[in-house]
Amino acid sequence: MREFGDFANIDIDKLLSGAESHFAQMGGMQEDMAKVVGRAQDEDELVTVEYAVEGLRTLDIHPKAMRLSSSELAEKIKAVLQDAAQDLQVRMSAAMGETFGEEMNPMKFIANPDAAMGQFNSAQDAYKRTFDDVMGELDRIRRRLE
């Protein structure tokens, strides 16, 4: 009897242990992501921000900042907040790069949706080819058994 092509040579134990390892990595990464904090401060050191996954963690305003107009202070806070959020994204990308490797870093796809769609389409095509191969092989087996 003819075997299922490459599928007959799959080491199921290795496949399962690899999946378990990936799930453990993901669990550890989730814990690490909860600890990542982006930080920023303006050049005058009047506004300091810490930004985390849950959002704004701390906002420190130096008393000297009260000398600024309300619109100047608001602009300074928004700019520093944006810098802290960007710092958080950079730190998260680095952490995910360590876990997944730079080639499959999910943060890379957030910044470049076209690359994400390319990867998705490529995976979809590979799945379709594999599915078609398996179904063809199963059909050949069915015909032999009849």
Side-chain angles (χ1 to χ4, degrees):
M1 182 190 277
R2 192 167 172 219
E3 294 184 6
F4 286 104
D6 289 341
F7 289 104
N9 298 322
I10 292 176
D11 184 348
I12 299 296
D13 291 332
K14 183 178 178 183
L15 184 66
L16 290 175
S17 69
E20 288 173 5
S21 171
H22 286 300
F23 284 127
Q25 262 185 321
M26 290 293 291
M29 187 200 63
Q30 285 179 326
E31 290 174 14
D32 292 344
M33 289 296 115
K35 297 174 188 172
V36 176
V37 178
R39 293 179 178 83
Q41 186 176 56
D42 70 301
E43 65 272 357
D44 300 324
E45 299 180 1
L46 299 176
V47 177
T48 304
V49 169
E50 285 187 355
Y51 197 83
V53 175
E54 68 273 5
L56 181 63
R57 191 174 271 180
T58 64
L59 170 62
D60 293 326
I61 301 174
H62 193 281
K64 289 181 183 178
M66 297 305 138
R67 296 179 186 152
L68 299 172
S69 70
S70 62
S71 62
E72 288 174 321
L73 181 56
E75 288 302 315
K76 196 172 284 277
I77 290 171
K78 286 192 290 186
V80 174
L81 182 58
Q82 186 176 16
D83 290 347
Q86 190 171 22
D87 183 50
L88 174 67
Q89 191 172 21
V90 167
R91 291 171 187 264
M92 288 179 72
S93 182
M96 286 187 177
E98 290 175 16
T99 301
F100 295 106
E102 286 307 315
E103 185 64 29
M104 293 305 294
N105 186 340
M107 296 298 284
K108 176 177 83 173
F109 299 122
I110 290 171
N112 187 351
D114 291 335
M117 280 309 291
Q119 286 281 13
F120 173 77
N121 290 335
S122 177
Q124 187 178 30
D125 292 343
Y127 169 79
K128 186 177 178 341
R129 281 191 308 273
T130 302
F131 181 79
D132 290 346
D133 289 348
V134 169
M135 293 309 289
E137 193 65 34
L138 288 174
D139 191 47
R140 281 190 284 281
I141 290 170
R142 180 188 54 78
R143 279 188 261 132
R144 277 192 208 151
L145 293 175
E146 289 177 345

